[in-house]
Amino acid sequence: MAAHIGRRLRKGAATTAVAAAAVAALSASQAPGVTVDDQGRQSAGDATSAPDAAADDSATGNSPYYTDLPPLNSPAPSPSAGSGEAGDRSASEAGIPATVLDAYKKAEAALRGTGCNLPWQLLAAIGKVESGQARGGRVDADGTTVSPILGPQLDGNGFALIRDTDNGAYDGNRMYDQAVGPMQFIPSTWSWAGRDGNGDGRKDPNNIYDAALAAGHYLCRYDWDLSQPGDLRKAILSYNNSTDYLNTVLSWLEYYRKGTHEIPDGTGALPDDRSDARPGVTPSAPGTTPPARPGTRPGKPSGSRPSPSPTAPGTGGPSTPPTTPSPSTPPTPTDTVHHLEDAGTGTLTAMAGHTFAERISTRAETQAGKAVAKVRIRFTIVGDTDSTFAGGESVATVTTDASGVAVAPALQAGERTGAFAVQAAVVGRSVKGVPYKVTVTQRAADALTRVGEKELTCVAGGEFAEPVAVEATYGGEAAGKVAVTAKLVTSADDPAEDDKGPYFKDADGKAVRTLTGLRTDADGRLTLPKLYADDTAGTFLLRLTTAGGATLDVELTVEPAATPSPDPDPSADPDPSTDPSTEPSQTPAA
């Protein structure tokens, strides 16, 4: 990083004042709360308990990344002739290969409306730092990289130690994991975070559409609002837990927000500097493993050397003093964990579509039962369920607090009812974990009320003009998507189906007096189909019931049909006024 800053300063005015200004500008971009501990490690104060903040739980395993910073001049210079080296560099750096840019924007669109407020420029910033925008946009028409992009193997030799988790399926390495693809996911993270972004039915970390959508979901998985600086910092640090990484990504984010443009695939500028560049080591390009430092063997720490063979007794040679053993590395908190214990988790039951009131709490303990802080606990949802943790993910990792307890994010019940499990395990250790049984029950209502007060009446043989509408509630709140059964019953004391009186019609127009499969809407309301009446007059009862025990009886009245007027009897005496026999005879005049 220092070499990179120095090179930049040499392009401008390389005075002490300018250097100081550049350092001040870089420092100003540093996130509040970022500190350096007494071992020189960088951390963010407000992110120490953030999920997935550790090397083997970050998206990339904290693998190396490009440290090149954006040009100091405008990201969108005028394309006039003679712009010079600085202008050409800025135009090149601001350009994003067409397919790569399209993938970022599609990922942003897919997550729009989730409350995460993910800007595509953040994906572009991470893509720039992780792989130089898929090596300058070297992808095919479907968005898959022309050749795999692999980070160095994470063998603990200058990098995190992450042994193989995918049997080499993604990285071709069956000994250690390597970050894969344009967004540099480690295989263990891709196994649950991978997404199909181009609709081909596959989740390929080497495809920019799949990788960009996966990165978007990863950054949004904990209900973080990325328009808020604090949440933005946490999300970036969860991707790669380094203050330098945070500052570099934020620099590119701001740069791309000021302007960018589309360039042809394969023509993007390739970064120069990587975070693993150090004296004696050739910086590794994506897809290569850095060579060992001079004088070391793979897997051996720097400065190690074989112990001299002792001189055999009686050979006359000088005796070799015993080699003083090097001090052993102090155990990490994770090394001291013997087992996990439940930390007082209550019954994990919730209604479909609701948030579980109880959260899973797990404690890490030594063999003696002492609590262990700063240990990463991974909670994994197991079983046939569509329930998730808040944020929509099936895996969450949380660091234990000072009392050794890690509290999982709240569980969100899906629509699939039944039992499943959540498995708590220590990240990086094979020790006894804790399984938690979780149950999702069907949606229910504890009260049903009729909407409207108008009497429901009909004449025999007719149809009811007023539909039956009801509202379901649970605990005083609207109960949406609750199953309701409507049945014409014989009486209040006899729940048997009535065989006369009002009825519904099925799809074929036949009379039915029991309806199942009805559901309230999101506001807990339900309007029943139209009711008809046969020729039986009287008072009838419609009973509505729901899961949870709510019942409502609705009275229906069928009035007799009007009595028609009787037809005249032809045999009756005619009206005397028109009977010819009653008319006076008229005698002809003489």
Side-chain angles (χ1 to χ4, degrees):
M1 176 68 75
H4 175 66
I5 295 174
R7 185 175 68 253
R8 173 181 292 177
L9 292 177
R10 284 194 296 275
K11 289 185 178 182
T15 63
T16 303
V18 172
V23 172
L26 182 60
S27 300
S29 68
Q30 199 168 35
V34 174
T35 59
V36 178
D37 63 17
D38 57 1
Q39 302 299 318
R41 293 186 295 263
Q42 297 154 330
S43 62
D46 62 352
T48 53
S49 61
D52 295 335
D56 52 351
D57 270 339
S58 67
T60 66
N62 291 351
S63 59
Y65 54 90
Y66 288 112
T67 61
D68 298 49
L69 293 173
L72 295 176
N73 52 302
S74 168
S78 172
S80 59
S83 56
E85 179 186 354
D88 292 341
R89 171 175 169 78
S90 183
S92 176
E93 294 286 10
I96 298 177
T99 299
V100 178
L101 180 59
D102 184 55
Y104 296 149
K105 291 185 175 180
K106 279 185 167 57
E108 179 198 58
L111 288 161
R112 193 171 294 137
T114 63
C116 175
N117 293 313
L118 170 76
W120 66 261
Q121 292 92 340
L122 175 58
L123 297 176
I126 291 176
K128 179 70 175 182
V129 170
E130 292 295 347
S131 68
Q133 310 297 18
R135 291 182 183 163
R138 288 163 177 79
V139 297
D140 63 20
D142 295 324
T144 301
T145 56
V146 175
S147 59
I149 300 176
L150 298 174
Q153 68 177 14
L154 301 175
D155 58 3
N157 185 25
F159 310 110
L161 174 60
I162 305 180
R163 301 191 184 278
D164 177 56
T165 61
D166 66 331
N167 199 30
Y170 294 118
D171 54 17
N173 190 334
R174 296 188 178 183
M175 293 187 64
Y176 302 97
D177 271 349
Q178 295 175 244
V180 182
M183 303 304 278
Q184 289 289 277
F185 279 94
I186 54 173
S188 57
T189 301
W190 184 262
S191 66
W192 60 266
R195 292 292 191 280
D196 177 14
N198 62 352
D200 64 357
R202 300 174 60 233
K203 300 176 182 178
D204 183 2
N206 289 299
N207 182 277
I208 186 58
Y209 288 99
D210 295 357
L213 183 59
H217 276 278
Y218 186 90
L219 294 165
C220 293
R221 70 198 184 285
Y222 286 109
D223 283 342
W224 285 328
D225 179 357
L226 302 187
S227 66
Q228 301 299 316
D231 284 357
L232 177 63
R233 290 196 301 272
K234 291 177 184 177
I236 296 172
L237 285 169
S238 78
Y239 209 88
N240 192 315
N241 192 29
S242 159
T243 305
D244 283 341
Y245 182 87
L246 171 68
N247 290 332
T248 306
V249 170
L250 288 176
S251 296
W252 281 106
L253 170 60
E254 183 64 20
Y255 184 73
Y256 286 136
R257 276 177 166 164
K258 290 179 179 177
T260 186
H261 57 275
E262 178 184 299
I263 60 174
D265 289 342
T267 64
L270 294 175
D272 299 321
D273 295 335
R274 286 174 61 82
S275 61
D276 54 341
R278 57 185 180 272
V281 176
T282 301
S284 60
T288 65
T289 301
R293 292 184 292 275
T296 67
R297 292 182 296 168
K300 294 291 184 179
S302 176
S304 64
R305 58 183 182 273
S307 301
S309 301
T311 303
T315 61
S319 61
T320 303
T323 302
T324 303
S326 58
S328 59
T329 303
T332 66
T334 301
D335 294 332
T336 66
V337 177
H338 178 265
H339 61 274
L340 296 180
E341 292 285 350
D342 174 44
T345 306
T347 302
L348 294 165
T349 301
M351 195 184 304
H354 289 237
T355 300
F356 283 76
E358 188 73 16
R359 293 173 66 176
I360 296 174
S361 298
T362 303
R363 191 168 79 151
E365 296 183 352
T366 64
Q367 187 170 10
K370 183 179 178 181
V372 185
K374 298 182 180 179
V375 173
R376 298 175 303 283
I377 308 299
R378 178 181 290 126
F379 300 94
T380 305
I381 295 176
V382 181
D384 185 15
T385 181
D386 56 351
S387 297
T388 64
F389 290 111
E393 300 297 346
S394 59
V395 178
T397 304
V398 183
T399 303
T400 57
D401 58 18
S403 61
V405 174
V407 180
L411 279 165
Q412 178 68 40
E415 295 301 325
R416 194 171 302 165
T417 60
F420 63 94
V422 173
Q423 181 70 39
V426 178
V427 175
R429 289 289 307 280
S430 296
V431 300
K432 179 185 175 184
V434 182
Y436 293 87
K437 181 180 178 181
V438 186
T439 304
V440 177
T441 61
Q442 64 180 323
R443 291 176 179 264
D446 55 16
L448 272 175
T449 56
R450 187 181 160 217
V451 178
E453 299 179 353
K454 187 176 180 180
E455 292 185 3
L456 300 170
T457 61
C458 174
V459 296
E463 60 185 48
F464 288 81
E466 185 79 9
V468 177
V470 297
E471 183 176 34
T473 56
Y474 188 86
E477 300 291 334
K481 300 182 181 180
V482 174
V484 179
T485 297
K487 182 178 182 181
L488 277 304
V489 297
T490 303
S491 68
D493 300 323
D494 185 356
E497 182 181 281
D498 204 343
D499 60 357
K500 58 184 180 298
Y503 61 90
F504 300 102
K505 287 183 179 180
D506 64 13
D508 298 324
K510 296 180 180 179
V512 292
R513 290 186 168 87
T514 300
L515 294 179
T516 59
L518 303 171
R519 285 191 180 275
T520 60
D521 63 16
D523 297 322
R525 294 203 169 194
L526 170 67
T527 299
L528 272 60
K530 181 175 288 188
L531 276 162
Y532 302 85
D534 61 14
D535 294 334
T536 308
T539 301
F540 300 89
L541 210 59
L542 172 64
R543 177 164 292 172
L544 295 99
T545 57
T546 72
T551 301
L552 174 67
D553 287 342
V554 179
E555 192 174 89
L556 305 173
T557 302
V558 178
E559 299 174 344
T563 304
S565 302
D567 294 332
D569 186 354
S571 64
D573 290 338
D575 186 348
S577 63
T578 60
D579 188 351
S581 64
T582 62
E583 293 182 3
S585 62
Q586 297 181 1
T587 304

